[in-house]
Amino acid sequence: MTSIEDLPSVIRHWIGGELTDATDRRTFDVADPVANTPYAQAARGSAADIDRAVTAARAAFPAWSGLSNRGRATVLNRIADAVEARHEKLAAFETYDTGLPITQAKGQARRAAENFRYFADVIVALGEEAFRQGGEQVSYVVRKPVGVAGLITPWNTPFMLESWKLAPALASGCTLVLKPAEWTPLSASLWPEIFAEAGVPAGVVNIVHGIGEEAGQALVDHPDVPLISFTGSTDTGRHIIRCSAQHLKTTSMELGGKSPAVVFADADLEAALDSVVFGVFSLNGERCTAGSRVLVERPVYEEFTRRLAERAANVRVGPPSDPATEVGALVHPEHYEQVLNYVGIGKKEGRLVAGGTRPDHLTDGNYLQPTVFADVERDARIFQEEIFGPVVAVAPFDDETEAIELANATQFGLAAYIWTSDLKRGHRIAHAVESGMVWINSHNVRDLRTPFGGVKASGVGREGGAHSIDFYTESKIVHIALGDVHTPRFGAAS
């Protein structure tokens, strides 16, 4: 475990291949979620810093976009090597900064490295389309990187989620400006040494820290950034889309979720229980795809709810650095208070069957015992609104029709989980549920080749696999005549 002496006291921007302070020298405090005490100062980016970063990215764009796909893939694989070489330090930083349990943080380096290796393979193997119109004409598609990409990333599992955007943007030939979340900038401080070690040319990647309303807003508003990829709250996503309309920017929005886990009476209840408990309480419940609404068929409702409450009560809440911990500290006092507020609301809207309080053995820090509310009505706030913490709402249903209705009864549509031994029914439900992703008898196992994203208030667009390459590139169609051209001769003399 990295000790406090190993942590940086200052987190600086990375612009044009150099570590730099904010133009106006401003900083903001970065605190850990256990002591809630500032341990570092981060550069507070402004519009001037964003402009410096965009200028550096534009200058680097011709050479980076002109590099062969194989050349960029080679660099991406070197980035993956550098990430993996720092896996212990990365996990320690991520745990310290976010409150994630160390056992869960340790997988982030591997997943981040795999993102770079995967897109290195994709960009080398990717072909371009061609079309033939008989013997008269042939047409072919040319992909071109869009330009400078603006990437705005969230505070939950920050390093890995940054890699989800960095890897396809770089593979596609874009240069970029990354704005990490202000609550969790620590692991992002590792990127400069990783990129330098991997030989990423100066200006290809630029990192500007700061407050979303300042640095993030400036990135969204900058006229020389034609593309914004954002992961975060639905309200912020709506705001970014409104602002992006001014310059007709392309946007990709991975937003909020209130995903249903639908459990039928014929399901393998033990497997479903394992999935539900892990799906809503892992990563401290701070995950967009959490199955935070559990819908259970009435014949097994009481049994499943009782067993869910028992499991929640036994989840180990403790210091993030303890390998035995399953739920650590929530990321920030502001977020912690918001989650506690929802717990208070839930006590009026449902039947509290587990948790709802701070664990007795943890007197300080942003800790909450995993919380289960039963008998929750569809119009309850804890059923409708994203809580983003270790809190789950449970409700019964009587038949397939009601299960679909309840699953779709929110503004969100990111993910859904279906548990049944009747695969025909599983497919019917999967097709009827309004969500971008569905898992049948599975618990959020990701395949990097597949599209990731939601519908309704959960997002706009898809990333993942070739969909990411589509987002970071423009397709140009070139038409070529193969024979004599017989165009109607308007205006020619008879």
Side-chain angles (χ1 to χ4, degrees):
M1 179 67 184
T2 298
S3 67
I4 190 69
E5 289 79 16
D6 297 318
L7 299 173
S9 59
V10 177
I11 299 173
R12 306 171 78 192
H13 302 324
W14 174 254
I15 298 175
E18 296 182 354
L19 292 170
T20 177
D21 295 323
T23 301
D24 56 13
R25 300 287 180 177
R26 290 191 304 162
T27 61
F28 63 94
D29 289 338
V30 183
D32 75 278
V34 173
N36 287 321
T37 301
Y39 67 85
Q41 297 284 307
R44 183 165 178 163
S46 65
D49 298 305
I50 291 292
D51 188 61
R52 283 197 293 146
V54 173
T55 298
R58 291 188 69 195
F61 178 73
W64 181 251
S65 62
L67 197 62
S68 69
N69 289 349
R70 176 68 70 183
R72 290 198 298 275
T74 299
V75 175
L76 263 65
N77 278 312
R78 290 202 298 259
I79 294 172
D81 292 340
V83 168
E84 288 180 331
R86 291 163 174 79
H87 70 281
E88 291 287 349
K89 185 175 184 180
L90 168 59
F93 272 26
E94 205 79 314
T95 293
Y96 188 87
D97 201 29
T98 67
L100 291 178
I102 185 65
T103 53
Q104 295 166 42
K106 282 187 174 179
Q108 302 307 309
R110 177 186 56 78
R111 294 185 66 189
E114 179 58 25
N115 286 326
F116 285 99
R117 295 199 196 285
Y118 171 75
F119 281 104
D121 292 341
V122 166
I123 202 64
V124 169
L126 191 66
E128 293 174 332
E129 297 174 292
F131 308 88
R132 183 165 58 89
Q133 296 87 49
E136 300 176 355
Q137 183 168 279
V138 66
S139 307
Y140 64 92
V141 175
V142 177
R143 288 181 180 271
K144 296 290 185 181
V146 171
V148 178
L151 312 181
I152 303 176
T153 52
W155 47 257
N156 60 318
T157 60
F159 191 89
M160 192 273 293
L161 291 180
E162 288 156 8
S163 75
W164 272 18
K165 299 181 187 296
L166 288 165
L170 292 173
S172 299
C174 291
T175 54
L176 59 94
V177 179
L178 168 67
K179 209 297 281 183
E182 56 262 36
W183 283 355
T184 55
L186 180 59
S187 60
S189 70
L190 297 175
W191 285 120
E193 65 184 52
I194 288 169
F195 293 135
E197 183 177 305
V200 178
V204 170
V205 177
N206 304 275
I207 302 172
V208 177
H209 297 280
I211 309 304
E213 292 82 355
E214 298 171 354
Q217 185 68 57
L219 184 57
V220 169
D221 290 341
H222 201 290
D224 294 326
V225 179
L227 176 152
I228 298 291
S229 177
F230 170 76
T231 298
S233 74
T234 296
D235 286 344
T236 303
R238 290 190 178 109
H239 175 77
I240 290 173
I241 289 174
R242 285 193 295 269
C243 296
S244 296
Q246 174 67 26
H247 297 291
L248 298 177
K249 299 190 180 199
T250 302
T251 61
S252 175
M253 301 281 123
E254 197 266 281
L255 307 177
K258 193 71 177 177
S259 301
V262 183
V263 181
F264 284 90
D266 66 349
D268 180 338
L269 295 186
E270 193 68 27
L273 186 64
D274 287 343
S275 176
V276 166
V277 172
F278 181 82
V280 75
F281 297 138
S282 62
L283 304 181
N284 299 345
E286 297 165 333
R287 60 188 307 161
C288 56
T289 55
S292 55
R293 292 183 298 136
V294 180
L295 312 177
V296 185
E297 195 169 14
R298 199 173 296 275
V300 296
Y301 175 74
E302 291 298 336
E303 176 194 354
F304 193 88
T305 301
R306 174 182 58 79
R307 295 177 64 188
L308 174 58
E310 291 172 352
R311 289 283 294 274
N314 289 327
V315 169
R316 295 174 179 172
V317 183
S321 59
D322 185 348
T325 292
E326 294 171 319
V327 170
L330 300 189
V331 67
H332 190 275
E334 182 180 321
H335 180 61
Y336 181 53
E337 288 301 318
Q338 180 177 311
V339 174
L340 291 180
N341 182 56
Y342 273 111
V343 171
I345 292 169
K347 290 177 180 178
K348 301 174 184 177
E349 294 184 330
R351 175 166 58 98
L352 179 64
V353 295
T357 60
R358 170 191 292 278
D360 292 337
H361 65 289
L362 296 166
T363 57
D364 297 309
N366 307 327
Y367 293 104
L368 175 65
Q369 187 68 37
T371 300
V372 180
F373 289 103
D375 308 338
V376 180
E377 299 291 335
R378 61 182 291 165
D379 59 349
R381 288 185 63 185
I382 61 169
F383 190 91
Q384 292 290 333
E385 299 176 17
E386 185 176 40
I387 299 173
F388 219 64
V391 182
V392 63
V394 190
F397 66 86
D398 289 308
D399 55 31
E400 186 176 315
T401 299
E402 186 181 16
I404 294 169
E405 183 184 12
L406 287 173
N408 292 339
T410 75
Q411 65 170 322
F412 298 106
L414 186 58
Y417 307 89
I418 302 163
W419 288 89
T420 177
S421 62
D422 182 345
L423 287 183
K424 290 182 179 179
R425 176 165 59 190
H427 286 289
R428 287 196 303 271
I429 302 289
H431 294 179
V433 169
E434 296 167 348
S435 66
M437 301 171 287
V438 181
W439 282 268
I440 301 174
N441 298 332
S442 178
H443 65 279
N444 199 2
V445 177
R446 282 277 290 124
D447 184 326
L448 294 178
R449 297 170 295 180
T450 61
F452 188 98
V455 300
K456 301 194 292 187
S458 287
V460 177
R462 295 291 182 274
E463 295 189 47
H467 299 272
S468 291
I469 306 300
D470 288 340
F471 176 67
Y472 290 103
T473 59
E474 296 281 9
S475 294
K476 178 187 293 185
I477 185 73
V478 180
H479 302 284
I480 308 165
L482 297 179
D484 295 336
V485 178
H486 302 287
T487 306
R489 304 187 66 216
F490 280 27
S494 56

